[in-house]
Amino acid sequence: MTPLEALHQAAAALVAATPALLGFAAYPVDAAAAPQDAVGVPAIAHLVADFAHVAPTDARGIFTAAVLAAAPLARWQHTYSEAEVGADFLARYGWFELAGPDGHFRTDALRAYVAYWGRGLQYDWHEHEAEELYFIAAGSGLFRSARQPDAMLVAGDTRLHAGFERHAMDTDRTGILTLVLWRGAGLNGVPAMSPKA
Ligand code: ZN
């Protein structure tokens, strides 16, 4: 089994073990592998430094360890430009689509992203049409939303965003590793920074 296949299995096990995730979407464990060239980002080194200590003793820890093992083989991406978020943000954040229409494993049923932000970053207000569920695999972050109270989320917590719900997230003294699921209308859209008030 390749590290990406092991991560796919770990994601399926994590969803199955986490009622909030399972209630949002079934994980497409049978999605076929679609080999893609690896694309690295500088954030991988920060991801490993932040979470190499996490013990693979439960589904969340196994998922986190599997992300670190698969990170060098994944097709990492940045949604935003340096003009939008700055060079430091781009150097310490990144995501890849594990399962989905463009993922390492192909399905049209949902998108499952692995996303990481380093410590002390402000992910500014943004929005997208698809419904979204964040699951915190490791680390923590202050989640803000136009429709919900602020919440400091830690490993094991989830946060649901409705379609077009504006949201933002700040990290403090630790980075954050998340599994992000998208479903419904707008599955082929992308997040966009909200217009400045
Ligand atoms: Zn979002």
Short mmCIF file of all heavy atoms in Angstrom, two decimals, residues 123 126 128 132 134 161 167 182 191, ligand 1:
data_model
loop_
_atom_site.label_atom_id
_atom_site.label_comp_id
_atom_site.label_asym_id
_atom_site.label_seq_id
_atom_site.Cartn_x
_atom_site.Cartn_y
_atom_site.Cartn_z
N TYR A 123 -6.14 33.64 8.61
CA TYR A 123 -6.82 33.28 7.35
C TYR A 123 -8.05 34.18 7.29
O TYR A 123 -9.01 34.00 8.04
CB TYR A 123 -7.18 31.80 7.39
CG TYR A 123 -7.78 31.22 6.14
CD1 TYR A 123 -7.81 31.92 4.93
CD2 TYR A 123 -8.30 29.94 6.15
CE1 TYR A 123 -8.35 31.35 3.80
CE2 TYR A 123 -8.85 29.36 5.02
CZ TYR A 123 -8.88 30.07 3.85
OH TYR A 123 -9.43 29.52 2.72
N HIS A 126 -13.48 34.63 4.05
CA HIS A 126 -13.65 34.07 2.71
C HIS A 126 -14.96 33.28 2.69
O HIS A 126 -15.60 33.07 3.72
CB HIS A 126 -12.46 33.19 2.35
CG HIS A 126 -12.24 32.06 3.30
ND1 HIS A 126 -11.65 32.24 4.53
CD2 HIS A 126 -12.57 30.74 3.24
CE1 HIS A 126 -11.60 31.08 5.17
NE2 HIS A 126 -12.16 30.15 4.41
N HIS A 128 -17.58 30.41 0.05
CA HIS A 128 -17.76 29.53 -1.10
C HIS A 128 -19.15 28.93 -1.03
O HIS A 128 -19.77 28.90 0.04
CB HIS A 128 -16.69 28.44 -1.12
CG HIS A 128 -16.44 27.82 0.21
ND1 HIS A 128 -17.29 26.89 0.75
CD2 HIS A 128 -15.49 28.06 1.15
CE1 HIS A 128 -16.86 26.55 1.95
NE2 HIS A 128 -15.77 27.26 2.23
N GLU A 132 -19.59 22.94 4.04
CA GLU A 132 -18.24 22.53 4.45
C GLU A 132 -18.23 22.07 5.90
O GLU A 132 -18.84 22.69 6.76
CB GLU A 132 -17.32 23.75 4.30
CG GLU A 132 -15.91 23.57 4.81
CD GLU A 132 -15.12 24.84 4.53
OE1 GLU A 132 -15.39 25.87 5.19
OE2 GLU A 132 -14.26 24.80 3.66
N TYR A 134 -15.29 21.26 8.73
CA TYR A 134 -13.90 21.16 9.18
C TYR A 134 -13.82 20.14 10.30
O TYR A 134 -14.63 20.17 11.24
CB TYR A 134 -13.42 22.49 9.75
CG TYR A 134 -12.76 23.43 8.80
CD1 TYR A 134 -13.51 24.29 8.01
CD2 TYR A 134 -11.37 23.48 8.70
CE1 TYR A 134 -12.91 25.18 7.14
CE2 TYR A 134 -10.75 24.37 7.84
CZ TYR A 134 -11.53 25.21 7.06
OH TYR A 134 -10.92 26.08 6.20
N HIS A 161 -19.91 24.92 8.04
CA HIS A 161 -20.19 26.18 7.36
C HIS A 161 -21.24 25.93 6.28
O HIS A 161 -21.06 25.06 5.43
CB HIS A 161 -18.93 26.76 6.71
CG HIS A 161 -17.85 27.12 7.69
ND1 HIS A 161 -16.53 26.75 7.52
CD2 HIS A 161 -17.91 27.81 8.85
CE1 HIS A 161 -15.82 27.21 8.54
NE2 HIS A 161 -16.63 27.85 9.36
N HIS A 167 -16.43 33.00 6.57
CA HIS A 167 -15.70 32.48 7.72
C HIS A 167 -14.23 32.85 7.62
O HIS A 167 -13.73 33.22 6.56
CB HIS A 167 -15.91 30.98 7.89
CG HIS A 167 -15.71 30.16 6.64
ND1 HIS A 167 -16.64 30.12 5.63
CD2 HIS A 167 -14.71 29.37 6.25
CE1 HIS A 167 -16.21 29.31 4.68
NE2 HIS A 167 -15.03 28.84 5.02
N TRP A 182 -16.32 18.89 1.64
CA TRP A 182 -17.28 19.73 0.91
C TRP A 182 -18.33 18.83 0.31
O TRP A 182 -18.01 17.74 -0.20
CB TRP A 182 -16.58 20.46 -0.24
CG TRP A 182 -15.92 21.75 0.10
CD1 TRP A 182 -15.44 22.14 1.32
CD2 TRP A 182 -15.63 22.82 -0.81
NE1 TRP A 182 -14.87 23.38 1.22
CE2 TRP A 182 -14.97 23.83 -0.07
CE3 TRP A 182 -15.86 23.02 -2.17
CZ2 TRP A 182 -14.55 25.03 -0.66
CZ3 TRP A 182 -15.43 24.20 -2.75
CH2 TRP A 182 -14.80 25.20 -2.00
N PRO A 191 -12.94 28.66 -2.98
CA PRO A 191 -13.12 29.75 -2.02
C PRO A 191 -12.62 31.08 -2.61
O PRO A 191 -11.68 31.10 -3.41
CB PRO A 191 -12.23 29.36 -0.84
CG PRO A 191 -11.91 27.91 -1.05
CD PRO A 191 -11.95 27.70 -2.53
ZN ZN B 1 -14.40 27.24 3.84
#
